[in-house]
């Protein structure tokens, strides 16, 4: 538009050429120069702005290109990292699954080991219970055979010590049952069969040494003086054979010997049982054998736990000693005292059954 305006102003006017001013064209040149200057200035400014804008756009493009390249590289790195993360996640998942499998195996092995330990412990406890049960039953048989409570007491005490060393809570009822049975045994009185049998054996061995009531023997006073009377008179060195004291001593000793012989000829004693006097030597032998048989029957009665029969046999033996044997003899009195003591020691109590201990052992062995 500015160029067209300049061309329009420089065109000749039709009416101005005819007047006096047409002959002076100098005033139009400065206006066109100014216009051209303005146009050039605007063009330069536009060109400079376009260059700056182009430079600006170039820098922006370069920046965008760098950012795009950086973004691409970051995206590649991100994909690489994501791929690595996925691989790591898969690896971790595989390791976790392997560890879970191993943990499961360890748990299974642990449970199996616990079951094995429990089984071994239970087997050991069961073996202990079976051993104690057999020992208690064996002790019962020994107690029945011997008539003594010592085998039962010793076995129960040993069982209590073994259970205490085992330290198993489920064996506590067994230990309590054993303690109660021990207390019951301490209060119980039974026949000492072993002691009775030993006394009966002593009596059987001493029957042949017992003195019969019709046996002829020297009186005790004369029996004690006989050895001194039979000894030769010792001569006193201070006395000579011609002295009267020596002869007197010799006469006293001789008189003692004669008196002993006279006492041996006749003896007067009192026997309350007439049948004892009428026993012949052969009958005395059979009397001793019958007494031995009576004591043997009493021994068999003690072994068979037939205490009433044994007590009757002991009473019969005591009666035979009183009737046919010398009551003044020390051996006879000792035998009678032993027979009476054995009759008192015969107890009719039954052997303890230990049912509580055996029931507790059966319960513990069953695992209840």
């Amino acid at each position: 538009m500015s160029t067209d305006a300049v061309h329009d102003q420089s065109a000749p006017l039709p009416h101005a050429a005819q007047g006096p001013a047409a002959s002076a064209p100098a005033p139009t040149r400065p206006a066109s120069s100014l216009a051209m200057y303005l146009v050039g200035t605007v063009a330069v400014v536009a060109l400079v702005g376009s260059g700056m804008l182009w430079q600006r756009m170039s820098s922006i493009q370069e920046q965008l290109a760098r950012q795009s390249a950086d973004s691409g590289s970051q995206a590649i790195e991100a994909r690489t990292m994501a791929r690595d993360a996925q691989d790591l996640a898969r690896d971790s998942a595989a390791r976790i699954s392997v560890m879970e499998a191993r943990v499961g195996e360890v748990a299974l092995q642990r449970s199996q080991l616990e079951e094995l330990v429990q089984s071994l412990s239970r087997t050991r406890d069961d073996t202990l219970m079976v051993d104690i049960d057999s020992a208690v039953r064996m002790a019962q048989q020994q107690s029945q055979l011997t008539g003594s409570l010592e085998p039962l007491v010793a076995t129960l005490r040993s069982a209590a010590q073994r259970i205490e060393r085992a330290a198993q809570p489920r064996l506590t009822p067994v230990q309590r049952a054993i303690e109660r049975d021990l207390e019951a045994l301490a209060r119980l009185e039974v026949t000492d069969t072993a002691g009775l049998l030993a006394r009966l054996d002593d009596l059987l061995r001493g029957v042949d040494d017992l003195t019969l009531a019709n046996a002829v023997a020297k009186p005790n006073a004369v029996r004690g003086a006989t050895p001194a009377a039979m000894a030769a008179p010792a001569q006193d060195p201070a006395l000579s054979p011609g002295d009267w004291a020596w002869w007197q001593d010799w006469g006293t000793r001789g008189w003692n010997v004669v008196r002993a012989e006279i006492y041996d000829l006749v003896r007067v004693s009192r026997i309350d049982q007439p049948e004892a006097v009428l026993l012949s030597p052969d009958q005395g032998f059979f009397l001793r054998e019958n007494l031995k048989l009576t004591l043997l029957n009493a021994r068999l009665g003690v072994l068979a736990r037939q205490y009433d029969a044994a007590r009757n046999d002991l009473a019969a033996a005591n009666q035979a000693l009183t009737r046919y044997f010398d009551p003044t003899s020390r051996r006879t009195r000792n035998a009678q005292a032993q027979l009476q003591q054995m009759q008192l020691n015969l107890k009719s109590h039954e052997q303890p059954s230990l049912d509580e201990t055996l029931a507790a052992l059966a319960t513990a062995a069953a695992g209840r």
Side-chain angles (χ1 to χ4, degrees):
M1 291 177 63
S2 59
T3 306
D4 294 340
V6 173
H7 288 295
D8 291 338
Q9 291 177 4
S10 59
L13 297 174
H15 298 287
Q18 297 177 5
S23 60
T28 60
R29 292 179 180 179
S32 60
S33 299
L34 180 60
M36 291 295 292
Y37 177 76
L38 290 174
V39 171
T41 302
V42 171
V44 171
V45 171
L47 182 61
V48 171
S50 298
M52 293 178 64
L53 182 60
W54 177 258
Q55 187 179 2
R56 181 70 176 173
M57 290 296 294
S58 297
S59 62
I60 291 173
Q61 288 179 356
E62 292 177 358
Q63 186 176 2
L64 289 175
R66 287 194 301 271
Q67 290 179 356
S68 178
D70 294 338
S71 299
S73 61
Q74 290 178 0
I76 293 172
E77 292 178 358
R79 284 193 297 270
T80 305
M81 294 176 65
R83 190 179 300 107
D84 295 338
Q86 290 178 357
D87 295 338
L88 182 61
R90 284 192 297 269
D91 190 10
S92 299
R95 291 182 178 179
I96 290 173
S97 62
V98 172
M99 292 184 66
E100 287 179 353
R102 290 183 179 178
V103 168
E105 292 178 358
V106 171
L108 180 60
Q109 292 177 359
R110 180 180 178 182
S111 62
Q112 292 177 352
L113 182 60
E114 289 178 353
E115 291 178 359
L116 180 60
V117 171
Q118 187 176 3
S119 176
L120 290 176
S121 178
R122 185 174 296 276
T123 303
R124 183 188 62 182
D125 296 340
D126 293 341
T127 304
L128 178 62
M129 293 298 100
V130 172
D131 190 11
I132 292 176
D133 183 79
S134 61
V136 170
R137 295 184 186 277
M138 183 67 70
Q140 279 186 324
Q141 294 178 1
Q142 292 179 357
S143 179
Q144 291 176 358
L145 291 175
T146 60
S148 176
L149 295 178
E150 291 300 326
L152 280 177
V153 173
T155 303
L156 290 178
R157 288 178 179 174
S158 176
Q161 292 177 358
R162 294 177 64 183
I163 292 174
E164 185 177 0
R165 287 195 298 268
Q168 291 292 336
R170 70 187 190 93
L171 301 183
T172 304
V174 181
Q175 188 174 6
R176 293 177 181 174
I178 291 175
E179 291 177 355
R180 287 192 292 268
D181 285 336
L182 282 174
E183 293 177 358
L185 290 177
R187 296 189 300 267
L188 187 63
E189 295 181 359
V190 295
T191 303
D192 186 7
T193 305
L196 287 177
L197 295 178
R199 293 182 183 179
L200 286 173
D201 293 337
D202 291 338
L203 284 177
L204 285 171
R205 287 191 296 268
V207 168
D208 294 332
D209 297 332
L210 296 177
T211 304
L212 293 174
N214 62 351
V216 178
K218 297 179 181 180
N220 295 332
V222 178
R223 192 179 306 162
T226 300
M230 295 299 294
Q235 185 177 0
D236 191 355
L239 298 177
S240 62
D243 292 339
W244 173 253
W246 185 86
W247 290 101
Q248 186 178 6
D249 183 68
W250 186 87
T252 302
R253 294 177 184 274
W255 170 248
N256 289 333
V257 173
V258 173
R259 187 177 62 178
E261 294 295 333
I262 293 174
Y263 278 128
D264 287 339
L265 294 176
V266 178
R267 180 185 175 190
V268 179
S269 62
R270 178 177 178 177
I271 300 178
D272 295 331
Q273 302 294 337
E275 61 271 16
V277 182
L278 300 178
L279 287 175
S280 63
D282 295 337
Q283 291 176 342
F285 171 76
F286 289 109
L287 175 63
R288 295 179 191 276
E289 295 300 321
N290 288 332
L291 180 58
K292 291 179 181 179
L293 291 176
T294 304
L295 294 176
L296 287 175
N297 289 333
R299 193 176 190 277
L300 291 176
V302 172
L303 289 174
R305 299 295 182 273
Q306 297 177 359
Y307 297 128
D308 294 335
R311 192 178 291 108
N312 294 332
D313 291 333
L314 292 176
N318 191 12
Q319 185 178 1
L321 286 176
T322 305
R323 179 176 296 180
Y324 297 104
F325 291 87
D326 185 9
T328 60
S329 175
R330 180 176 57 85
R331 293 179 178 178
T332 304
R333 292 196 299 268
N334 291 337
Q336 290 177 344
Q338 289 182 6
L339 289 174
Q340 294 176 359
Q341 186 66 30
M342 284 188 288
Q343 291 179 13
L344 295 176
N345 290 335
L346 286 174
K347 307 293 183 180
S348 299
H349 297 290
E350 297 181 355
Q351 290 291 332
S353 58
L354 303 181
D355 292 336
E356 190 172 357
T357 298
L358 295 176
L361 288 172
T363 303
R368 295 190 292 270

